[in-house]
Amino acid sequence: MNPLPPPAHPYQFRALGLIKGSLKSIPETYAQATLVDTDGVEYPATPGRAELLRPFTYCIESGHTYWYYVQPQPRSGGTLGLSVIRILALPEEEQDPDLEDEPFLPAPEDAEEGFNIRGIVEPHDGFIWVTVRRKPQGNKQFPPLQLRLEGFLPGAAAGEFWDLLAEREGHELLLVDGSRLLTAVA
């Protein structure tokens, strides 16, 4: 479906996507932007890590279109937000000489948009809630990420661990495919 890297572990939790777009500023905010996809749909976006701030700011100021590795982050009102994990340059785009010490990674040649969600499922009529447990960073604990995917998983039961592929439609994530990895997770 897309060139997302394989998980580091067969039972790794994750919510990772690849999206193409540009960042535009939100006046009087720090480390916040709006990611505008190639169809003009807007998503709130933040850099996922502090070391991304300089390239993130450059992308806002340049207005260029890039590929971004993102983590979906539900926001209030059902809006899909995106935490930018990594910024990729378009293969045909020239690198900015001011960013040579922090070059953007090249976008994969076979890049396609899509999301890989790996977590504990709870099916409902017409949608699936997926709980993605997040790894602590030092002493900092994070609550699990709760994502809603539109779609149906035949044979899925609450508490099972699934590897899911999804695509974006507006502010919804639509289930494309999935495979059960574990039948029950505590």
Side-chain angles (χ1 to χ4, degrees):
M1 174 189 202
N2 56 55
L4 293 175
H9 183 276
Y11 305 116
Q12 176 188 4
F13 285 85
R14 77 173 182 177
L16 180 64
L18 186 61
I19 187 170
K20 185 178 182 180
S22 59
L23 293 175
K24 74 177 188 183
S25 65
I26 301 173
E28 300 177 24
T29 63
Y30 174 73
Q32 301 291 313
T34 301
L35 195 153
V36 184
D37 75 4
T38 52
D39 294 329
V41 180
E42 298 185 351
Y43 303 89
T46 56
R49 293 187 289 275
E51 61 268 19
L52 270 175
L53 281 173
R54 186 167 176 240
F56 187 81
T57 302
Y58 171 77
C59 290
I60 292 171
E61 292 169 354
S62 73
H64 290 257
T65 300
Y66 290 95
W67 282 99
Y68 300 90
Y69 279 120
V70 295
Q71 180 176 30
Q73 299 283 331
R75 305 283 171 102
S76 61
T79 299
L80 178 63
L82 301 168
S83 177
V84 175
I85 306 294
R86 192 177 298 158
I87 303 167
L88 307 171
L90 295 177
E92 67 274 7
E93 202 160 37
E94 292 294 320
Q95 292 295 314
D96 185 299
D98 295 334
L99 291 175
E100 279 186 16
D101 56 336
E102 297 175 30
F104 294 0
L105 300 168
E109 291 293 326
D110 58 346
E112 268 185 62
E113 281 197 7
F115 288 83
N116 179 217
I117 315 293
R118 296 168 59 89
I120 301 167
V121 300
E122 189 176 323
H124 290 280
D125 292 330
F127 64 91
I128 298 128
W129 282 102
V130 185
T131 301
V132 179
R133 294 183 185 158
R134 297 192 278 181
K135 186 176 173 182
Q137 290 179 351
N139 294 335
K140 191 173 183 180
Q141 299 286 326
F142 298 99
L145 183 63
Q146 295 278 320
L147 296 172
R148 180 181 149 149
L149 278 67
E150 298 287 330
F152 176 72
L153 281 173
E160 295 179 333
F161 186 84
W162 282 70
D163 181 12
L164 307 168
L165 296 178
E167 49 189 40
R168 209 178 27 84
E169 187 173 291
H171 284 274
E172 302 292 330
L173 290 174
L174 305 178
L175 179 65
V176 174
D177 197 8
S179 58
R180 180 184 297 115
L181 298 178
L182 291 172
T183 55
V185 178

